[in-house]
């Protein structure tokens, strides 16, 4: 057996770069990256072969991002467009139902897709999701302020702490304060998201091996994607209320050192009819990179059990992901 589609092709009329790992008849899992505009390369480099042992993993660079085809000049892009792109990929691959995993802003997209296409979704995995941009920004400002204070950047630390403590600010104002605080961290910005030096070294190695094929949107396209999506009012609206309407198994994976999935967002997850939560205490924003084996094992088991429950039959033992 093998995949019925080669890895590294572009699908749909928008030329979405698609990386597929695993057997064609294994339960399908779509991965949605965050950013917006981050691309799926890092995730697939770390998790592709691990998850591909037991599921059919499909990673895409979203419209106009990284290895996908550039968007035409002047083209618009909305969150709703992205949701329709994901559905177009499912149709192009001939998949009846699939599980959907989203990391960070991708968790918001995964929730929007599952709510729009419940009949095509078998399960949803959220990794440190951002369902409410304002709540996430407010929750992040305190820890960033502490990091700034430790580094002697007193003025920036005080500004971040003041923004975190003030009530009634708009999502735009909180996001601007969050971006300003991150910028003040300078080269140490990544350590906020990835506190582990070992993980930062692993990601640096993965990124150094990244290749963009001819016709790629590249970094410029990824930035255009980011700006277009952030400008869409739908990107600012809280979406956690959609959780209560989902009737499929849900898994929330959070890192112990990541504040972006704020307490009120975690509480909203508890309203979901069929939700489980996994906290990885030593992990930051990228659990799949901080603890690849635990992430792969949890996600593989979850996706396969969900697929077995939907079909009415078991999927058998799950292969070990760490051997």
């Amino acid at each position: 057996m093998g995949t019925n589609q080669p890895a590294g092709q572009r699908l749909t009329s928008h030329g979405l770069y698609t990386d597929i790992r695993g057997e064609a008849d294994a339960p399908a899992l779509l991965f949605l990256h965050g950013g917006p505009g981050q691309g799926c390369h890092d995730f697939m480099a770390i998790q592709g072969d691990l998850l591909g042992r037991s599921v059919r993993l499909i990673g895409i660079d979203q419209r106009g991002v990284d290895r996908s085809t550039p968007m035409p000049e002047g083209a618009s892009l909305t969150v709703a467009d992205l949701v329709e792109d994901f559905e177009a990929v499912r149709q192009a691959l001939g998949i009846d139902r699939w599980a959907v995993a989203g990391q960070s802003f991708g968790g918001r997209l995964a929730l929007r897709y599952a709510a729009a296409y419940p009949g095509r979704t078998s399960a949803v995995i959220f990794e440190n999701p951002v369902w409410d941009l304002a709540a996430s920004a407010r929750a992040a400002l305190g820890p960033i302020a502490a990091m700034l204070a430790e580094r002697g950047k007193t003025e920036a630390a005080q500004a971040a702490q003041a923004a975190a403590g003030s009530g009634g600010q708009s999502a735009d104002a909180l996001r601007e304060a969050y971006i300003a605080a991150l910028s003040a961290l300078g080269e140490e910005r990544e350590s906020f998201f990835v506190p582990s030096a070992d993980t930062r070294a692993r990601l640096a190695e993965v990124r150094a091996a990244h290749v963009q094929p001819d016709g790629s949107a590249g970094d410029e396209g990824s930035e255009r994607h980011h700006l277009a999506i952030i400008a869409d009012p739908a990107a600012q609206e809280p979406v956690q209320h959609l959780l209560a309407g989902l009737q499929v198994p849900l898994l929330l994976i959070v890192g112990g050192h990541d504040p972006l999935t704020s307490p009120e967002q975690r509480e909203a997850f508890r309203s979901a009819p069929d939700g489980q939560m996994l906290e990885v205490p030593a992990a930051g924003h990228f659990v799949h990179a901080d603890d690849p084996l635990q992430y792969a094992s949890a996600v593989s088991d979850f996706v396969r059990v969900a697929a077995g429950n939907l079909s009415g039959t078991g999927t058998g033992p799950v292969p070990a992901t760490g051997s």
Side-chain angles (χ1 to χ4, degrees), residues 17 19 21 31 33 38-48 59-61 65-67 202-212 288:
Y17 186 92
D19 182 350
R21 313 287 181 95
F31 171 73
H33 63 73
Q38 188 173 47
C40 73
H41 172 267
D42 295 1
F43 179 89
M44 296 300 289
I46 294 170
Q47 288 292 329
I60 62 172
D61 288 343
V65 170
D66 197 9
R67 296 162 294 179
R202 182 183 306 120
L203 286 170
E205 183 178 347
V206 163
R207 291 163 183 166
H210 181 39
V211 176
Q212 294 171 337
H288 64 265

Side-chain angles (χ1 to χ4, degrees), residues 5 17 33 47 68 83 87 100 107 115 140 147 153 156 165 185 190 204 232 241 243 250-251 260 277 291-292:
Q5 298 284 344
Y17 186 92
H33 63 73
Q47 288 292 329
S68 289
V83 170
E87 175 61 8
V100 182
M147 290 180 66
K153 299 184 177 183
L185 282 174
E190 188 174 32
D232 180 9
H241 64 279
L243 290 163
L250 308 177
L251 175 62
L260 290 177
M277 186 183 299
D291 196 335

Side-chain angles (χ1 to χ4, degrees), residues 147-162:
M147 290 180 66
L148 289 167
E150 289 171 1
R151 289 154 178 79
K153 299 184 177 183
T154 306
E155 185 176 344
Q158 290 174 344
Q161 194 62 59

Side-chain angles (χ1 to χ4, degrees), residues 96 148 278-279 282 295:
D96 182 41
L148 289 167
L278 169 65
E279 181 169 358
Y295 177 95

Side-chain angles (χ1 to χ4, degrees), residues 230-316:
I230 289 299
D232 180 9
Q236 312 294 332
E237 299 167 355
V239 296
Q240 57 265 40
H241 64 279
L242 297 174
L243 290 163
L246 299 186
Q247 300 300 317
V248 296
L250 308 177
L251 175 62
L252 173 61
I253 301 175
V254 293
H257 294 290
D258 186 272
L260 290 177
T261 306
S262 59
E264 57 264 53
Q265 292 177 82
R266 297 189 191 199
E267 185 61 32
F269 181 77
R270 294 185 174 90
S271 70
D274 189 4
Q276 304 173 41
M277 186 183 299
L278 169 65
E279 181 169 358
V280 182
H285 194 53
F286 299 95
V287 179
H288 64 265
D290 278 317
D291 196 335
L293 296 182
Q294 184 174 2
Y295 177 95
S297 179
V299 170
S300 172
D301 289 357
F302 186 75
V303 170
R304 293 190 57 165
V305 168
N309 287 346
L310 284 169
S311 67
T313 59
T315 56

